[in-house]
Structures are given as C-alpha cells and as structure tokens.
Amino acid sequence: MSDPVRILGISGSLRAGSYNSAALRAAQALAPEGVQFEFAEIGDLPLYDDDQRHQAFPPAVLRLEQQIRSADAVLFASPEYNYSISGVLKNAIDWLSRLDHQPFAGKAAGIIGASGGLLGTARAQYHLRQIGVFLDLRFMNRPEVMIGGAQNRFDSSGTLTDAATREILAKFVAALRDWALAHRRQAPLKQ
Ligand code: FNR
C-alpha cells in the first residue's frame, strides 16, 4: 500500500460552532481512501512579537512547524473578517513565516471557506492567495469552494447537509490529494 496523503487542516476560527472548522471536518469525512487528516491548533499562539522571536520561538509555533513539515498539503479554512482572513490565522502565518527555512515554502495548499453572507469568504480567500505568494505556498487554483449562506448548509451540530456543497467539497478534496501527490517529489525553491 502506498503512503497516505497527509492533509493538515488549519481553521482560522476559534469558535466552538465555527462553520469553517465544520467545513474542514466535512472535508475529512468526504475525503477519498488514502487521505489522512490532522487538524492544527492555532489558538494558543501568543501575539507575534519580533523581540520574542529573536529570543526563542514559542513551543506552539514549533509544534505547528512540525505538523506542516510532515503534511503533504495544508488546507486552510478561514472566516472572512472585514474582507480579509482572521487575525488569528494571520498571526499564526506571521510566526511561521519567520522560521528558518519557513515550512510553507513549496508546500501544496488549498483554501475553502464558509460565511453567512453571499460570497462565502471569496474576498478573504483571495487575500490568502496573495499572502501565499510571499510564502511560496503552492495553492491549488480550482475547484474553488466558497460556502455562502452557511447557516442553511450546515445543521445545528455542524454537519454539512447541503448536497451540492458536499459534492463540490468531495471533488475539492480529491483534487487536493492529486495536487499534493504531484508536489511530493518537488523540492522547495531556494528562499
Ligand atoms: C464577520 N463576518 C463577515 N462575513 C463576511 O462575509 N464578510 C466580512 O467581511 C465579515 N466580517 C466580519 C468581521 C468580524 C470581526 C466578525 C466577527 C464577523 C461574519 C463571519 O463571516 C461569520 O461570523 C462566520 O460565521 C465566521 O466564521 P466561523 O467562526 O463560523 O468559522
């Protein structure tokens, strides 16, 4: 049997009832055989402090670094806050970006997102893609998964019930598996 494809889900929401965390769990449930999910914890990272960085990186950042390094792909699901990604996610990215040989370089990645509005985090997703240019993340372009009207697509326990959204999310995870496999053999570019 070949090695499983390891996907690390990173939610930009700390809310227990988060639609974005629920979307990541739905992606796991809809994943094809041979895909293994793990979920990152970013709520315990301190606020980015460049002085602290010069003394020592916080253990929570180093833990996250290892999770990213051992994943074949990272899957982000961020709320849209004021037309961008959440501050919690940006804080985590800022810490990780200052590590030696920062772990996002050359890493396959995908983005999904859910919001109550019509656009389903479209604006935040495009901000994250822009951040990914600096990080040298290798974002998959399509399919895009922007879950608008989230309150009508998840039930009260956070299960994704909308059939059309389940279908596109299943296609997305299969495509991300293929994208991750295509990147497995590629070394990251020199920083
Ligand atoms: C929001 N929300 C929001 N929604 C949106 O579509 N565009 C936006 O710019 C914003 N801005 C925004 C800012 C702040 C500070 C909050 C708290 C909320 C609504 C947001 O998308 C909604 O609360 C989601 O449900 C949050 O995601 P989780 O926590 O359910 O994953």
Side-chain angles (χ1 to χ4, degrees), residues 93-111:
I93 290 172
D94 289 344
W95 273 116
L96 292 158
S97 72
R98 295 288 99 186
L99 288 161
D100 284 342
H101 312 293
Q102 62 90 358
F104 287 128
K107 186 68 66 177
I111 312 177

Side-chain angles (χ1 to χ4, degrees), residues 13 15 17-21 79-83 114-117 123:
S13 176
R15 212 164 68 80
S18 161
Y19 292 122
N20 286 283
S21 303
E80 184 169 285
Y81 282 176
N82 300 306
Y83 285 14
S115 76
R123 291 161 294 219

Side-chain angles (χ1 to χ4, degrees), residues 29 46 72 79 91 97-98 128-129 150 160 191:
D72 292 299
N91 184 56
S97 72
R98 295 288 99 186
L128 186 52
R129 285 185 187 276
L160 180 64
Q191 295 289 293

